[in-house]
Amino acid sequence: MASQMDRLTFLKVMGIGGAVFATGLPGFAEALGPTGSKAGAAASDFYWVQLSDTHWGFEGPKVNPDATGTLGKAIDAVNALDPQPDFVIFTGDLTHDTDDPLLRRKRMAEFKQQAARLRVRQIRYLPGEHDAAEDRGEAYREAFGVSHYAFAHRGVNFIALDNVSQVGSVLGAEQLKWLAGELSHTPKDEPLVIFAHRPLFDLYPDWDWATTDGQKALDLLKDHRFVTVFYGHIHQEHHHRTGHIQHHAATSLIFPLPAPGSAPKRAPVPWDPAHPYRGLGFRQIHTQPQLKSGEGLQVLAEKPLAGSLKGAGAPA
């Protein structure tokens, strides 16, 4: 696929909660380099899918009467993508919180069984506070491994952060030190993607839509030219910039939440029988990289989850 696509082709990005073509990222066009160059050989076009806030184990018919079916529908939709994404990443709140450690582990095992149906070769995970806050991530690490990590893929550097396992909505001094170490050997002019569950900036702290020490992470990132952050937690599409750093939130796969500060309290938006799956859906992002600046031109269009389901007028 990659070798046959022109850099200036509009790239479709689709997925539940978001999917991304690499050439749509700021700086990727520059990473490609001239045709036949060493840089061009290292970087090639690809895309991945971001899924977020599945809350496996949630029960609430007034909020989502299809709570046990929505994730499966999303997986079916991703499995139908052709070509398949290079990887899928779940950006937190894989399961719904519980103070019962046995039930927590049971939900994580059930979630893994569901996720295993994905056709994609590589699946990556991040914890959300619903997965990790009760036991500081102990059960999560047992089920999914480390909660923060770095990897490189086809010319793009990726860093996954954990801003949920410690008390106080923080990354913590140890993880910030680790992040600084990773960034010290990451070229500053190469595309860099950050994954997190909570936003790293102060979106709406009164609703816990912030990371207490997130600015320290942003300060570490500011010298890198092309940084894009993908996160979840707020159960809705949201786009923001802090300086040159772009931040994109994904929708949830269980229920939407109101816009920041638009309601007296943070509470799930009730299910609308006339519009099932409203707020849960596909996002298409068409991107045209601009070679001189390395910036990406993005045009977004939301597609409701119901639109991807045959005859989906009501929960199955």
Side-chain angles (χ1 to χ4, degrees):
M1 177 185 72
S3 62
Q4 298 176 358
M5 295 189 68
D6 187 278
R7 296 182 209 168
L8 296 181
T9 301
F10 277 96
L11 302 171
K12 180 193 283 186
V13 176
M14 59 168 59
I16 308 292
V20 178
F21 270 101
T23 47
L25 296 172
F28 192 83
E30 292 188 359
L32 284 173
T35 302
S37 70
K38 183 177 180 180
S44 59
D45 184 54
F46 65 98
Y47 81 104
W48 70 88
V49 171
Q50 178 193 10
L51 304 170
S52 201
D53 297 87
T54 54
H55 286 261
W56 185 260
F58 171 83
E59 295 180 357
K62 293 183 179 179
V63 174
N64 187 341
D66 190 28
T68 60
T70 308
L71 174 58
K73 290 177 173 65
I75 289 171
D76 289 343
V78 173
N79 283 342
L81 296 176
D82 185 19
Q84 280 285 284
D86 276 29
F87 64 86
V88 168
I89 184 164
F90 289 87
T91 50
D93 282 354
L94 317 176
T95 60
H96 200 60
D97 64 346
T98 173
D99 57 8
D100 182 339
L102 294 178
L103 180 57
R104 184 179 309 122
R105 286 165 170 80
K106 179 176 182 289
R107 287 177 177 174
M108 289 185 181
E110 291 174 347
F111 172 85
K112 286 185 72 174
Q113 286 182 328
Q114 290 280 329
R117 292 202 302 107
L118 284 162
R119 291 173 52 204
V120 68
R121 291 184 177 183
Q122 188 174 81
I123 307 173
R124 295 183 179 273
Y125 305 95
L126 269 183
E129 79 281 4
H130 281 254
D131 309 304
E134 288 286 342
D135 62 0
R136 296 201 171 201
E138 179 182 343
Y140 173 88
R141 290 189 296 273
E142 289 176 8
F144 301 100
V146 295
S147 61
H148 63 277
Y149 50 89
F151 63 100
H153 188 78
R154 297 197 187 185
V156 179
N157 302 294
F158 296 89
I159 296 178
L161 298 176
D162 174 2
N163 54 3
V164 298
S165 294
Q166 297 191 53
V167 176
S169 304
V170 300
L171 293 159
E174 183 177 345
Q175 188 177 184
L176 286 167
K177 182 178 179 181
W178 170 85
L179 174 61
E182 289 295 323
L183 294 175
S184 69
H185 54 76
T186 301
K188 290 181 170 56
D189 58 352
E190 289 186 3
L192 176 60
V193 172
I194 306 297
F195 295 118
H197 180 63
R198 288 187 174 102
L200 294 177
F201 63 95
D202 286 350
L203 174 56
Y204 201 74
D206 287 350
W207 285 2
D208 188 34
W209 289 1
T211 301
T212 304
D213 55 0
Q215 186 59 50
K216 293 181 179 180
L218 297 178
D219 289 343
L220 291 172
L221 292 165
K222 67 182 180 181
D223 291 335
H224 290 257
R225 292 182 62 196
F226 307 111
V227 183
T228 311
V229 181
F230 293 92
Y231 67 100
H233 190 55
I234 70 170
H235 291 222
Q236 61 197 273
E237 181 190 11
H238 190 272
H239 309 280
H240 184 71
R241 292 179 73 103
T242 55
H244 66 288
I245 299 174
Q246 301 182 18
H247 304 257
H248 304 290
T251 55
S252 167
L253 279 173
I254 194 67
F255 53 76
L257 287 169
S262 64
K265 63 179 181 178
R266 181 192 62 195
V269 176
W271 182 268
D272 183 355
H275 302 282
Y277 307 100
R278 173 176 280 179
L280 315 177
F282 285 91
R283 176 195 299 155
Q284 291 183 330
I285 307 172
H286 300 266
T287 307
Q288 182 179 15
Q290 298 176 10
L291 298 182
K292 291 184 179 180
S293 66
E295 293 292 332
L297 173 65
Q298 300 183 358
V299 181
L300 282 68
E302 293 300 313
K303 302 294 181 182
L305 175 57
S308 70
L309 310 173
K310 295 181 180 179

